[in-house]
Amino acid sequence: MRPQRLLLLIIFLTVLSFFIDLPKNYPLKLTLGQFKIDQVISAPDFNFALGSFKISKEIYTHLGLDLQGGTHLILEADMKEIKDQDRNQALDSARSVIERRVNFYGLTEPVVQSAKVGESFRIIVELPGIKEKDRAIAEIGQTAKLEFREWISTQSADFSLNNTKETGITGKDLKRAAIEFDPNDGNPYVAIEFTDEGGKKFSDLTTRLVNQRMPIFLDEKIISDPTVQEPITGGKGRITGQFTTDEAKKLARQLNAGALPVPIKVLEERSVGATLGQESVQKSLRAGALGLGMVMVFMWLYYGSLGFLADVALMIYGLLSLAIFKIIPITLTLPGIAGFILSIGMAVDANILIFERMKEELRSGKQWQIAMELGFGRAWDSIRDANFTTLLTCFILFNPMGWGFLPSFGMVRGFALNLAVGVLLSLFTGIIVTRTLIRVFFKGSWKGFMSSQVQK
C-alpha cells in the first residue's frame, strides 16, 4: 500500500480511537477568554442493524474489583461426603448455583470461577461494588436446597413457592442428573436417577400427577416445571423439552447442585473500598502518564526529530490500546495496568533497534533512504524474535487451556492479556506507523540529523 494511503488509514484509526477513548458522561468545562465550553462528553455506543441482524454494544472502561472496590471471596467446598468420581461435577454444580445467587444482586461483571488446588476444591467470587456484603456472603455460602413440589392451584398466575406444597422429595432423594441425547432425533434431554427410597417416592408422585405439572425448585426459585406424561416407576426418568444443549447442561447442573449438595465455607475474604480503588486508578493513570512522558522525552532528546516521530507513534499506540481495551472488552486491574505501563517502554524498543541499524547503514556510506529501508528490514528479525518470546510468556501466564500446573488467577491473566495486546500493538505502531510517518514527512529532510548521529 502506498505510504499516503496508509497514512490516511492510520489517521482514521487514530481519530476513531480518540472518540472511543472518551470518558463516559464526563463534564467538560473550559474557559479561554470569551470562549467557553460547558458540555458533557461521552464515548459513543456501538449500534449496528442490517435487516433483522442487530448489534448493540455499550462502550466503556471495565474496571476490576481492585479499582472500583468490592469484595473478593475464596470459598472452599467440603467434599468429604462426595465420591471421588463425582467431585468435579459437584464443584461445577456448586459454582453454577453460586453464580445464580450472585446474579440476583444485579452487580456489574461479577466473577465466579472454580479452581482445584491440590486436594482443595475452591470457588473464587468477586463482587464489585457490593453494598450488602455480609448478607451476600451468608446467602452465597448456603448449601443448595432442591425440592420436587406440587402446585396447589394450576389456574393461578402465582408460580412462586407459595402456590406449591411439599411432596417429600428433595435433593437427597436424587442420585444424579446428566445431559443425554435422544437417539431418534438427536435432541438433548436431562436424564435423572433417584436413590432406592427416592425412586419409590417419585413413582408414587408421578403416578398421582399424570398429565399434571410438577415444579422443581432450587433455593426457593423454580428451575423447571415439567408435565408428568406417565408414571415413572423404575427410579429413572427424563426431562424433555425444546432444550438447547446449553440449556440442558444448565438444568442438569442445577439438579446436581441439589443431588450433590456441597457445604461451602469462606476460606478468605478481602474487601477493597471504593475510595481506595479510586485512589489506585488516579495513581495508576499518573504513573502511566509519567512513564509515557519520560519515554517520549528520552526519545526526542536522543534521536531528535526522528525520536519525535517515534513519540507520535507512541501516542497513537496509547489511543489504540485504550480503544481496544474498551471494545473487546478487557477488564482493567492494577496488574493489568502494570502490564500496559510495561508495554509503553517496550513499544519504543522496536524503534530504537531500527534507528541503531539505520545508523550502522549510514556509517557504511549508504544513502539515507536506503539506510532507512534497510534499517527497518534488517531489524525486523530481532524485533520479531524478542516480541515472540514475550508473547510466549503471556500465553503461559494467561493459560487459555486452563492447565492445572499453570497459574490461572484473574489478575495474572489480566496482566498477561494487557501485555500481549500491548506487544502486538507496539509491533504495528513501531513498524508500520513509524515507517509511514518517516516516508511521508521526512523524505529527504533529515540527512543532516543522521549524519550527526553517526558522529556520536
Side-chain angles (χ1 to χ4, degrees), residues 374-442:
L374 288 176
F376 276 95
R378 293 180 175 174
W380 167 244
D381 289 344
S382 302
I383 296 169
R384 179 198 59 200
D385 294 346
N387 285 279
F388 179 73
T389 53
T390 304
L391 289 174
L392 278 179
T393 305
C394 293
F395 179 83
I396 293 173
L397 292 176
F398 188 74
N399 191 12
M401 304 298 180
W403 291 321
F405 60 93
L406 292 176
S408 59
F409 305 111
M411 290 189 176
V412 175
R413 301 181 76 178
F415 171 83
L417 184 58
N418 283 15
L419 183 57
V421 170
V423 168
L424 292 173
L425 272 179
S426 70
L427 286 175
F428 172 72
T429 57
I431 303 296
I432 297 177
V433 174
T434 305
R435 181 160 59 179
T436 302
L437 293 176
I438 292 174
R439 284 174 171 174
V440 174
F441 294 108
F442 284 82

Side-chain angles (χ1 to χ4, degrees), residues 23-29 38-41:
K24 202 73 175 177
N25 300 322
Y26 183 77
L28 178 62
K29 295 183 179 180
D38 188 2
Q39 296 286 332
V40 177
I41 58 174

Side-chain angles (χ1 to χ4, degrees), residues 71 105 130-140 269 271:
T71 300
Y105 286 90
I130 188 73
K131 296 180 180 177
E132 301 173 280
K133 181 189 70 173
D134 295 335
R135 178 188 164 199
I137 293 174
E139 292 184 357
I140 288 171
E269 175 192 339
S271 296

Side-chain angles (χ1 to χ4, degrees), residues 230-262:
E230 60 183 16
I232 301 174
T233 58
K236 294 182 179 180
R238 61 167 64 179
I239 300 175
T240 59
Q242 300 300 319
F243 292 125
T244 63
T245 301
D246 288 340
E247 290 171 341
K249 285 181 179 178
K250 180 181 177 182
L251 180 57
R253 281 198 303 268
Q254 291 173 326
L255 291 170
N256 279 324
L260 303 170
V262 179

Side-chain angles (χ1 to χ4, degrees), residues 156-204:
S156 172
D158 182 5
F159 296 99
S160 70
L161 194 71
N162 297 328
N163 187 32
T164 64
K165 58 183 179 182
E166 294 182 354
T167 62
I169 303 178
T170 65
K172 69 178 183 181
D173 297 307
L174 184 64
K175 201 170 185 178
R176 67 178 68 247
I179 180 175
E180 295 185 2
F181 294 89
D182 191 314
N184 297 318
D185 55 22
N187 291 327
Y189 65 87
V190 178
I192 52 178
E193 181 180 356
F194 290 87
T195 62
D196 293 341
E197 184 181 352
K200 294 174 184 175
K201 293 180 185 177
F202 199 66
S203 175
D204 295 339

Side-chain angles (χ1 to χ4, degrees), residues 77-371:
D78 184 356
M79 294 288 184
K80 287 188 295 188
E81 304 298 329
I82 306 296
K83 296 179 180 178
D84 290 345
Q85 64 270 24
D86 294 332
R87 289 182 174 180
N88 288 333
Q89 190 178 33
L91 181 66
D92 190 38
S93 297
R95 183 198 58 77
S96 176
V97 169
I98 289 175
E99 188 173 35
R100 195 167 63 91
R101 291 171 179 169
V102 168
N103 289 337
F104 285 144
Y105 286 90
L107 303 176
T108 303
E109 299 184 9
V111 174
V112 181
Q113 59 185 21
S114 56
K116 185 181 178 185
V117 182
E119 295 300 320
S120 178
F121 293 81
R122 298 178 179 179
I123 298 175
I124 300 168
V125 182
E126 293 187 352
L127 306 172
I130 188 73
K131 296 180 180 177
E132 301 173 280
K133 181 189 70 173
D134 295 335
R135 178 188 164 199
I137 293 174
E139 292 184 357
I140 288 171
Q142 289 180 354
T143 303
K145 182 182 180 182
L146 180 72
E147 296 177 283
F148 291 76
R149 299 182 72 93
E150 180 179 352
W151 291 115
I152 296 174
S153 170
T154 56
Q155 304 302 318
S156 172
D158 182 5
F159 296 99
S160 70
L161 194 71
N162 297 328
N163 187 32
T164 64
K165 58 183 179 182
E166 294 182 354
T167 62
I169 303 178
T170 65
K172 69 178 183 181
D173 297 307
L174 184 64
K175 201 170 185 178
R176 67 178 68 247
I179 180 175
E180 295 185 2
F181 294 89
D182 191 314
N184 297 318
D185 55 22
N187 291 327
Y189 65 87
V190 178
I192 52 178
E193 181 180 356
F194 290 87
T195 62
D196 293 341
E197 184 181 352
K200 294 174 184 175
K201 293 180 185 177
F202 199 66
S203 175
D204 295 339
L205 180 66
T206 53
T207 301
R208 185 163 54 83
L209 295 183
V210 171
N211 295 325
Q212 297 182 50
R213 290 181 289 128
M214 180 189 62
I216 305 173
F217 284 80
L218 179 65
D219 291 343
E220 301 184 353
K221 303 292 181 185
I222 189 168
I223 59 172
S224 183
D225 190 20
T227 299
V228 179
Q229 297 177 347
E230 60 183 16
I232 301 174
T233 58
K236 294 182 179 180
R238 61 167 64 179
I239 300 175
T240 59
Q242 300 300 319
F243 292 125
T244 63
T245 301
D246 288 340
E247 290 171 341
K249 285 181 179 178
K250 180 181 177 182
L251 180 57
R253 281 198 303 268
Q254 291 173 326
L255 291 170
N256 279 324
L260 303 170
V262 179
I264 299 292
K265 68 176 181 181
V266 178
L267 198 64
E268 179 183 323
E269 175 192 339
R270 177 165 50 86
S271 296
V272 179
T275 303
L276 181 61
Q278 186 61 33
E279 289 179 1
S280 300
V281 172
Q282 293 175 353
K283 290 180 179 178
S284 300
L285 292 176
R286 196 176 301 141
L290 184 61
L292 182 66
M294 291 177 68
V295 171
M296 292 177 66
V297 168
F298 168 78
M299 292 297 291
W300 199 349
L301 290 178
Y302 193 77
Y303 292 103
S305 51
L306 193 60
F308 176 77
L309 274 181
D311 289 345
V312 173
L314 191 59
M315 287 189 286
I316 294 174
Y317 163 81
L319 291 172
L320 292 176
S321 297
L322 185 55
I324 287 179
F325 291 162
K326 296 176 78 171
I327 292 173
I328 289 179
I330 295 176
T331 300
L332 290 179
T333 61
L334 279 178
I337 292 179
F340 174 66
I341 295 174
L342 175 61
S343 69
I344 290 175
M346 298 175 64
V348 293
D349 282 356
N351 291 136
I352 292 174
L353 285 172
I354 291 167
F355 295 162
E356 294 301 321
R357 288 306 304 260
M358 291 164 68
K359 287 162 62 178
E360 292 177 4
E361 299 300 332
L362 285 173
R363 289 191 188 102
S364 65
K366 293 187 175 63
Q367 296 295 321
W368 72 266
Q369 294 96 336
I370 298 174

